[in-house]
Amino acid sequence: MKTLYLYNTLNRKKEEFRPINTSPQPSPSKGGGVVGLYTCGPTVYNYAHIGNMRAYIFADLLARTLRYNYGEARVKWVMNITDVDDKTIRDSKIKYPNIDPNEALKKFTAEYEKYFWEDMEKLNIKKPDVIPHAADQKYVEKMQDLINKIVKAGYGYIKDGSVYFDVAKYYKNYKYGKLINLDMDGFKAGVRIDADEYEKENVQDFVLWKNQEKGDPFWDYELDGKSLPGRPGWHIECSAMGQETLGMPFDIHTGGIDLKFPHHENEIAQSVIGYNVDQPVNYWLHNEYLLVDGVKMSKRYKNFYTLRDLEEKGFNPFAFRYLCMQTHYGKQMNFTFNSLKAAEDGLKHLKNQVRELGDEKGDINSDYKNNFFKAINDDLNLSKALAVTQEMLKSDLLGQDKLATVLDFDKVLGLKLNQVDEDIELPEDIKSLVAQRVEARVGNNYNESDRLRAEIEKRGYLIDDTKDGMRVVKK
Ligand code: AMP
Ligand code: ZN
């Protein structure tokens, strides 16, 4: 077994990863344990942008690395869907003002969730093993159970129909601020915040259960004999879904760095009190931002691109996946179309190298496999892993062995290196020219067909007439 090192935000250093369940049995059905991985999933109120996608590509690479180390069946990856929070409620009411608010929320979030999974598939992000939805009655009840426990332990209180977490009391007895250093000097006990998201200057009692506002969706809840129709706060969602799906404590929790505070800090506080554990999660891993011109890509700054935007410009989503692998997840990465184009060219070149190896697989080369392992196990050093891949492909190994080795590496890289590119989504003008050319050829009008080919080439695309039909690729 190789040693895996991961940078743990909890202790601010790279550490050897030791799974909780170290049972040596080969599979869960034979009594072996699984490594538990929880990823904060999307808030489905809009299209995800490629900054969000960086977070999920990172989580996918981590899940694949764990599987490469421990075996396919021995990793349980959970990703929740946040389908109830301030933003989903706000926008569902705007989109569906005339239907029942709970139904409106369901309908509205289902649409964006569908787009989300389409994007994930295009990026070859494997579907997580369990996908809990925060608005499911089953999970809402688990959240309510957890709130009950927190209140019973004396760390939660009811105020104006909502339930809050008593940060002052927690802070007195435990460390609040494990993931980031919090300056508690300005903290005012008993001051409350209702918003799901807030800045660290606003450390306050946060909401566990939010009183229903008129016209908002709600779930029934009774606490201390009081009826409290309302909905869960964002942080309680992940604590309860993590415990329900992975038990507590579990191994690894991921998210982007903006989730360290307040989201993850509050998750820790809730679970410490409600589930009575010293440390709810052993390893916290956070990816850095994708930037545009030095600024975090975000909906708020309106400086974002979706995967659809990239496709409309003629890019293959795999180019973005490949681009993300060139910068360590813990470092900021500035997005430009030039770097995306360079990544696309690099990936094409790599795929050509693999295609030239033919179809026959030999043996996996153990020396290169060791080097590859070392790279990914060094806190997911993917750029090093790609360099090892290149070195192997340029070595004097037999073609068959190279093929076997590179396809083994591809279990982690997830680049579908042995698949011929499917036709990319083409811009509308090119699609129309291609359609005209098909028509010209059907009518044996070869002059027109050649003219159209030249026009398409002028606009940056090449047409390849193969025996299986026509392929259009970007120049
Ligand atoms: P949200 O749907 O807003 O909860 O975000 C989903 C995930 O994307 C979270 O893990 C965020 O931390 C992450 N995220 C948001 N913006 C960026 C960005 N610009 N770069 C990298 N990750 C991001
Ligand atoms: Zn979360």
Side-chain angles (χ1 to χ4, degrees), residues 335-349:
F335 176 78
T336 65
F337 281 101
N338 281 342
S339 57
L340 184 62
K341 178 74 180 71
E344 188 166 76
D345 291 346
L347 181 56
K348 258 187 212 158
H349 176 69

Side-chain angles (χ1 to χ4, degrees), residues 348-472:
K348 258 187 212 158
H349 176 69
L350 179 56
K351 290 185 83 162
N352 281 338
Q353 286 171 292
V354 174
R355 189 160 6 164
E356 278 163 14
L357 300 174
D359 307 319
E360 215 161 298
K361 279 206 273 177
D363 299 321
I364 297 172
N365 180 277
S366 57
D367 289 339
Y368 283 107
K369 183 167 173 126
N370 268 337
N371 291 344
F372 183 83
F373 237 132
K374 241 189 237 158
I376 56 169
N377 278 7
D378 181 15
D379 194 28
L380 310 191
N381 190 342
L382 267 306
S383 64
K384 181 78 194 292
L386 288 170
V388 172
T389 308
Q390 270 306 328
E391 204 187 305
M392 186 276 294
L393 288 171
K394 289 192 183 123
S395 73
D396 53 9
L397 287 184
L398 282 177
Q400 287 101 315
D401 293 352
K402 285 184 186 175
L403 184 66
T405 310
V406 77
L407 294 184
D408 177 61
F409 294 175
D410 202 25
K411 286 186 205 155
V412 177
L413 305 176
L415 293 168
K416 296 200 178 173
L417 290 173
N418 61 338
Q419 271 187 28
V420 179
D421 278 342
E422 289 149 32
D423 280 348
I424 39 171
E425 188 59 35
L426 299 169
E428 285 308 317
D429 61 328
I430 304 293
K431 270 192 206 158
S432 150
L433 289 169
V434 169
Q436 289 172 44
R437 184 168 176 272
V438 170
E439 225 166 273
R441 280 167 64 91
V442 170
N444 290 336
N445 189 347
Y446 292 109
N447 285 344
E448 178 64 359
S449 152
D450 286 347
R451 187 191 72 77
L452 288 161
R453 172 199 283 275
E455 181 59 34
I456 290 166
E457 282 192 15
K458 220 166 75 191
R459 296 186 191 201
Y461 288 81
L462 290 175
I463 289 197
D464 194 7
D465 292 310
T466 69
K467 63 177 180 359
D468 306 321
M470 191 170 60
R471 257 163 50 86
V472 185

Side-chain angles (χ1 to χ4, degrees), residues 41-43 49 51-52 55-56 255-256 258-259 287-290 296-297:
T43 309
H49 57 65
N52 303 134
Y56 302 120
D258 51 337
L259 298 191
N287 65 279
E288 256 290 355
Y289 291 141
L290 184 70
K296 175 192 176 189
M297 180 178 286

